[in-house]
Amino acid sequence: MGSIVLKFGGPATASTERIQEVAKKVIAEKNRGFDVVVVTAAMGRTTKDLTRMARELSDDVSKRELDVLLSTSSQLTSALFAMALMESGYDAVSLTGWQAGVQTDAVHHNARIENIDVKRIEEHFIQGKIVVVAGEQGIDEEQNITTLGKGGAETTAIAIAAALKSERVDIYTNVDGVYTADPSYIPAAQKLKEISYDEMLELSNLGSHILHPRAVELAKKFQMPVIIRSSVMDVEGTILKEEVEMEKNLIVRGVAFESDIIRLTVGYDAYSDASLADMFTTLAENHINVDIIVQAIIDGVKPSVSFSIMKDEFAETLRVLEDSKLSLGFSFADFEVGLSKVSIIGSGMASNPGVAARMFDRLRREDIPVKMVSTSEIKVSVVVLQDDMIRAANALHEEFNLEEALHA
């Protein structure tokens, strides 16, 4: 048999007792004959505690030194995990990201994986060892420790699996699979047996926090099967793959929502002053993610462009706009807070016209005003008042019959 990669994080590694418990899942796969790599995320609140200590020492912490510090959080988990496996009678070895061959670019705190040399992992396989890799980290070409930021552990797991040509990746989480919506807020949500890479990518980008978009993109690129499953319950998970069977012919297969959206509007005295390219190039150069964009050019009205951003990027966006006001040529910038984004997703939408109209009609009947709209082949997103977010999501979940999804 080949190899598989198992990723554990969050509640699964919050204590030594939990590590001992989930180590049994690793042992079960080893006993089935697989070579096994375990990728660990930070243990419990370790990252927050380390960051707090760094901020207590300095208001302007070196990003390099912060990466060195934060890399120890997943190393802690990997070492404890290897100890738990050895105590159970299995040969195991823990590796840091760089020992495992994870090579990244030089962007501290949000590095991207450029290459993985799995030679050392394969040598440990030959010795019969279970390899436990500290996720979320690597090393750049100057031999500096880097961390990958959000989603780093699952991205590492899929990248290692691709380099090893593994059979699959199992992502163990605090949920038992991917649902048609967040069951914490949508009581009728149902678990999906399968979901396509494209659908999962949209869900991840639109507010679902089960799997980071970077990890989904990597899985799609290498056509790596991924199972999202529970670290607590022994149940079937959701399989992430390229082609999926349509479950009960559902056109829409998921509803996602995200709070704390801010709409920024930038106005110009004349159309000749407005350059969307300059505006969004400047924002991109400052690593500000812009989502929905709406431009208004109407005779007799000063031109403007509105775009949505996340709340945590608001202050930086205002700073960039203020610093660049002269070069960008705009006359004013206004903003609206208290907004949210609600989206419907489904690969069947591409060949079924009228989905957006049905969505807007249901929101109109629910008396929920729509402030901005964004569409792609497989999703429609609307910006609504945050107070209307959960009501809108429940209404759309019902409108597209998602409570009838065939669940595992």
Side-chain angles (χ1 to χ4, degrees), residues 50-163:
L50 291 173
T51 302
R52 175 183 51 77
M53 286 190 282
R55 301 299 179 198
E56 287 173 355
L57 291 171
S58 172
D59 292 330
D60 186 24
V61 179
S62 159
K63 289 185 177 180
R64 181 193 182 280
E65 298 310 323
L66 191 59
D67 271 3
V68 173
L69 179 66
L70 296 183
S71 68
T72 64
S73 58
S74 51
Q75 291 173 34
L76 170 68
T77 318
S78 64
L80 290 171
F81 214 115
M83 292 174 193
L85 290 168
M86 287 187 279
E87 184 63 24
S88 298
Y90 289 78
D91 203 358
V93 59
S94 68
L95 300 178
T96 62
W98 50 98
Q99 287 174 328
V102 180
Q103 299 158 12
T104 75
D105 62 19
V107 180
H108 285 293
H109 222 47
N110 193 31
R112 298 274 174 161
I113 296 173
E114 293 186 337
N115 184 47
I116 296 186
D117 182 354
V118 293
K119 187 188 332 180
R120 186 166 180 175
I121 293 175
E122 290 173 332
E123 288 172 356
H124 287 307
F125 281 168
I126 292 170
Q127 297 164 6
K129 294 180 179 178
I130 299 171
V131 180
V132 187
V133 177
E136 308 172 328
Q137 60 185 259
I139 194 167
D140 68 15
E141 62 179 11
E142 299 296 326
Q143 305 298 297
N144 292 307
I145 296 170
T146 56
T147 64
L148 308 182
K150 288 183 179 178
E154 55 253 42
T155 304
T156 301
I158 292 170
I160 288 175

Side-chain angles (χ1 to χ4, degrees), residues 265-270 273 302-303 325 328-334:
T265 300
V266 176
Y268 299 85
D269 288 332
D273 296 333
K302 289 186 176 182
K325 187 173 182 179
L328 294 177
F330 64 88
S331 56
F332 73 89
D334 201 0

Side-chain angles (χ1 to χ4, degrees), residues 369-382:
V370 173
K371 293 181 172 285
M372 301 177 83
V373 178
S374 174
T375 65
S376 75
E377 281 193 340
I378 66 168
K379 66 97 175 169
V380 182
S381 297
V382 295

Side-chain angles (χ1 to χ4, degrees), residues 261-275:
I261 301 296
I262 294 176
R263 177 169 68 174
L264 271 162
T265 300
V266 176
Y268 299 85
D269 288 332
Y271 175 68
S272 58
D273 296 333
S275 171

Side-chain angles (χ1 to χ4, degrees), residues 373-398:
V373 178
S374 174
T375 65
S376 75
E377 281 193 340
I378 66 168
K379 66 97 175 169
V380 182
S381 297
V382 295
V383 172
V384 301
L385 291 173
Q386 190 153 305
D387 290 345
D388 292 331
M389 180 179 72
I390 300 302
R391 188 161 60 89
N394 273 284
L396 294 173
H397 195 274
E398 178 186 79

